Amino acid sequence: MRQYLFYILLFIFPLICKGQAFLDSLPSLQEHEILLLGENHFGRESQDMELDIISHYVHSSQDTVVVFIEDQYSGNYFIHHLFETGDSLPLHSYLRRCYSTKAEIFLKRLISRLYQINKKTGRILVYSADRVSSENDWLQTVHYVLSSYADLPLTIQSMKTDIETILPSIGKEQREEKPEFIKFLKQFDRNWRRHKKDCRQYLSAYDCDFIDQMIKSHTKSYDVREEMMCDHIIDYYKPNRRFISINGITHTNKLLLQYYKGKYDKKTKPLAWQLNNRRNSPFLNGVLSIGILPTSIISPETKINDSLTIPEKNSLFLNPQIPPKINKILKAQKRPVAFLMIDSEKYPEVFSQFDGFILIKDVHSTIPGNDPRKDEY
């Protein structure tokens, strides 16, 4: 038995060492720097890698690690409630109400894991940095905040009633902004500013500040989105902290928006560029960007009906964000997880966009098969 145990340890030990060596090879993170982790959404192993990286920085410094996620700004209210009270039900309800099933599962898993890391260390803060693109989400969230108060003066109660009046006419998703919502938002903003004294008297400082920011954070414009995410991240900057942001890889290119499919104006710069170049950014010339991408995606088995089942499928995943020469180097490592920090002198054109890449073999999709709610959270 001891002999078998020896061989098992002999096999496992190099894997542990390689994993530890990989994390130790990550760049150090100073308080004027921010690490952007660029992902292809909905990959379980990719998300696990991000969590391992965050844990590494939490344990390698005594500073608080601030993690930004690509969730609508409204999510901040429910994340704050979870981290303050341990109550996850409002967050789960918000995610189910405002997101597709696949996005709900993906975000719930991420936030829950971050919460567990914070529970053990007490040194993680999590914020949603994205715009509020959904009118329904905006209305439901602000209404939820105001409804948490039993007694409100008529000035604030009337604003809550205005939300209740317009809410039935606003669908869950629209590509174009509804004129009636834009009109409502302008009026709500005027009333909010007019009755600011009452709001500050009856609502908590956190709730007042949150609604202030919600008013500013609604847009469907992709061009405004990049600047808005940058503003949100800058707003949460404080000294003696370490900063990490998890975003789709499109946002984490330090030079340009790739493969934007007509959603963006050609002059629009991605989040990473804005954080790295804007004069008011505390991360001026301090952005580190690492792309985390799969070589293949494993989709779960899906039962269509009693006689038809689509089996689990492993599909090759193309990574156009990784230049062919860098992709070749990563694949030549022949490891389940390949890692490369870019040499700025050897590959200056690549380094201008990304500081490094992580290539993960065989990533399982978190997009559900037949049992959408039964994933691990």
Side-chain angles (χ1 to χ4, degrees):
M1 183 65 183
R2 287 184 180 179
Q3 184 180 5
Y4 288 123
L5 184 60
F6 170 76
Y7 283 115
I8 290 170
L9 290 173
L10 193 65
F11 174 73
I12 292 175
F13 185 70
L15 297 179
I16 295 172
C17 289
K18 282 183 182 177
Q20 187 59 45
F22 154 69
L23 292 172
D24 289 342
S25 298
L26 289 168
S28 62
L29 200 54
Q30 307 303 316
E31 66 178 58
H32 65 280
E33 295 175 328
I34 183 169
L35 174 62
L36 269 60
L37 301 176
E39 66 177 17
N40 173 63
H41 296 314
F42 313 124
R44 182 180 290 118
E45 285 80 3
S46 300
Q47 194 177 80
D48 289 342
M49 176 61 64
E50 292 161 352
L51 292 161
D52 286 344
I53 290 171
I54 291 166
S55 293
H56 166 76
Y57 283 108
V58 169
H59 290 101
S60 61
S61 168
Q62 292 303 306
D63 290 341
T64 294
V65 174
V66 180
V67 180
F68 299 100
I69 62 175
E70 197 174 304
D71 172 30
Q72 295 190 101
Y73 187 87
S74 44
N76 280 307
Y77 190 82
F78 304 99
I79 293 172
H80 176 78
H81 178 80
L82 169 65
F83 275 64
E84 286 289 308
T85 68
D87 178 14
S88 62
L89 289 178
L91 173 66
H92 291 184
S93 176
Y94 155 76
L95 292 173
R96 183 166 294 189
R97 183 183 72 240
C98 298
Y99 286 93
S100 65
T101 300
K102 64 181 182 180
E104 174 201 343
I105 288 174
F106 189 72
L107 285 168
K108 190 183 292 184
R109 187 175 188 267
L110 174 62
I111 296 167
S112 298
R113 298 293 178 86
L114 290 169
Y115 172 72
Q116 291 301 324
I117 296 173
N118 183 66
K119 220 175 159 187
K120 292 177 182 177
T121 65
R123 287 191 287 109
I124 282 187
L125 295 172
V126 179
Y127 298 113
S128 301
D130 212 342
R131 62 184 174 165
V132 183
S133 59
S134 166
E135 290 93 338
N136 179 67
D137 181 20
W138 194 101
L139 293 165
Q140 295 268 13
T141 301
V142 176
H143 186 266
Y144 183 92
V145 176
L146 296 180
S147 296
S148 65
Y149 293 87
D151 296 309
L152 289 172
L154 287 176
T155 51
I156 305 177
Q157 185 64 44
S158 65
M159 289 187 279
K160 181 184 167 189
T161 302
D162 289 342
I163 294 175
E164 293 166 351
T165 301
I166 192 175
L167 195 50
S169 67
I170 301 296
K172 190 169 184 180
E173 286 297 334
Q174 309 93 29
R175 294 198 174 193
E176 303 296 328
E177 290 191 283
K178 285 197 168 185
E180 59 264 42
F181 178 80
I182 299 303
K183 182 180 178 181
F184 160 83
L185 187 57
K186 289 179 180 177
Q187 185 60 50
F188 187 94
D189 184 22
R190 284 193 291 268
N191 289 337
W192 181 257
R193 284 185 278 113
R194 184 181 301 126
H195 305 303
K196 202 59 172 287
K197 186 176 179 181
D198 282 350
C199 296
R200 289 290 175 188
Q201 181 179 349
Y202 286 91
L203 275 58
S204 72
Y206 178 88
D207 290 353
C208 281
D209 291 341
F210 174 77
I211 294 177
D212 272 343
Q213 197 59 54
M214 282 288 286
I215 293 169
K216 301 172 188 174
S217 296
H218 171 73
T219 183
K220 285 188 176 294
S221 166
Y222 280 87
D223 298 306
V224 174
R225 182 188 186 190
E226 299 300 308
E227 186 174 344
M228 189 173 285
M229 283 195 290
C230 182
D231 287 337
H232 288 160
I233 290 173
I234 289 172
D235 286 345
Y236 283 113
Y237 176 82
K238 285 185 180 179
N240 301 316
R241 292 180 176 179
R242 300 293 181 265
F243 298 88
I244 298 173
S245 186
I246 301 173
N247 297 89
I249 196 164
T250 300
H251 307 290
T252 59
N253 189 309
K254 294 188 294 179
L255 184 62
L256 74 166
L257 284 161
Q258 290 180 305
Y259 317 109
Y260 54 85
K261 298 179 182 178
K263 291 180 179 179
Y264 293 92
D265 185 280
K266 290 182 179 180
K267 294 180 182 179
T268 301
K269 295 294 186 180
L271 169 66
W273 184 94
Q274 301 218 23
L275 288 168
N276 208 36
N277 292 277
R278 274 174 45 175
R279 289 183 180 180
N280 69 327
S281 172
F283 309 108
L284 193 65
N285 299 317
V287 171
L288 301 168
S289 183
I290 296 178
I292 303 176
L293 293 162
T295 59
S296 63
I297 296 286
I298 301 172
S299 303
E301 178 184 282
T302 303
K303 187 176 181 180
I304 303 299
N305 53 45
D306 291 339
S307 59
L308 179 59
T309 298
I310 300 175
E312 181 179 275
K313 183 181 179 182
N314 192 327
S315 306
L316 182 68
F317 187 84
L318 299 178
N319 287 307
Q321 295 91 348
I322 306 179
K325 54 193 170 186
I326 303 300
N327 200 33
K328 187 176 179 180
I329 294 170
L330 288 164
K331 287 187 173 180
Q333 293 182 19
K334 295 182 178 179
R335 295 175 182 171
V337 178
F339 172 65
L340 179 69
M341 293 302 293
I342 303 301
D343 186 323
S344 60
E345 295 184 0
K346 194 172 182 180
Y347 303 109
E349 72 286 356
V350 180
F351 184 76
S352 68
Q353 298 180 58
F354 292 94
D355 293 88
F357 291 98
I358 298 171
L359 195 60
I360 305 175
K361 188 178 180 182
D362 299 336
V363 169
H364 288 79
S365 172
T366 58
I367 297 175
N370 290 115
D371 203 351
R373 312 284 177 187
K374 213 172 176 181
D375 205 333
E376 52 179 311
Y377 297 146

